[in-house]
Amino acid sequence: VEVLLPGVEIGNEGAMLVGSFLSSSKALTTLRLDSNKIGYAGAVGLGKALEVNASLTTLWLNHNTIGDVGAVGLGKALEVNGSLTTLILSLNQIGDVGKEAVRTAWLSKTGRQESGLIL
């Protein structure tokens, strides 16, 4: 199952609502939330959902405003989540600290390829 919502400007509140759905979904494999004005709060909310979701394999979050705080929050989730194989975070105002947090967490899970992470 795919949910494709690029460019609908859901913002942080919408991202948190999607996160609530993601937390309980057992069938969702692809989630596209690029260009949605999602900031660090929305990213952290999605990260909490990723900690318990085991079905999502592809997540598009590019072209938002996640920043370092949101990236660190997502990184914590990536240490727990084992299903995600593709994560697109480019164009998110993420600096070196955030990129390192995400990259380290991404590679901490066996089987993940560095090519599946786009910063």
Side-chain angles (χ1 to χ4, degrees), residues 41-54:
V44 170
L46 287 168
K48 289 179 182 176
L50 285 172
E51 289 178 6
V52 296
N53 178 278

Side-chain angles (χ1 to χ4, degrees), residues 28-104:
L28 185 64
T29 58
T30 300
L31 179 57
R32 225 180 129 176
L33 296 175
D34 45 310
S35 301
N36 268 297
K37 297 187 177 180
I38 298 170
Y40 73 88
V44 170
L46 287 168
K48 289 179 182 176
L50 285 172
E51 289 178 6
V52 296
N53 178 278
S55 64
L56 194 69
T57 59
T58 303
L59 177 58
W60 296 58
L61 280 174
N62 54 305
H63 210 272
N64 285 291
T65 56
I66 290 169
D68 283 340
V69 174
V72 169
L74 284 171
K76 290 177 184 175
L78 294 174
E79 292 172 356
V80 178
N81 178 283
S83 64
L84 211 56
T85 57
T86 303
L87 176 60
I88 302 170
L89 287 174
S90 56
L91 302 171
N92 263 299
Q93 303 170 358
I94 300 172
D96 292 340
V97 170
K99 287 179 181 178
E100 185 59 29
V102 170
R103 186 176 290 111
T104 299

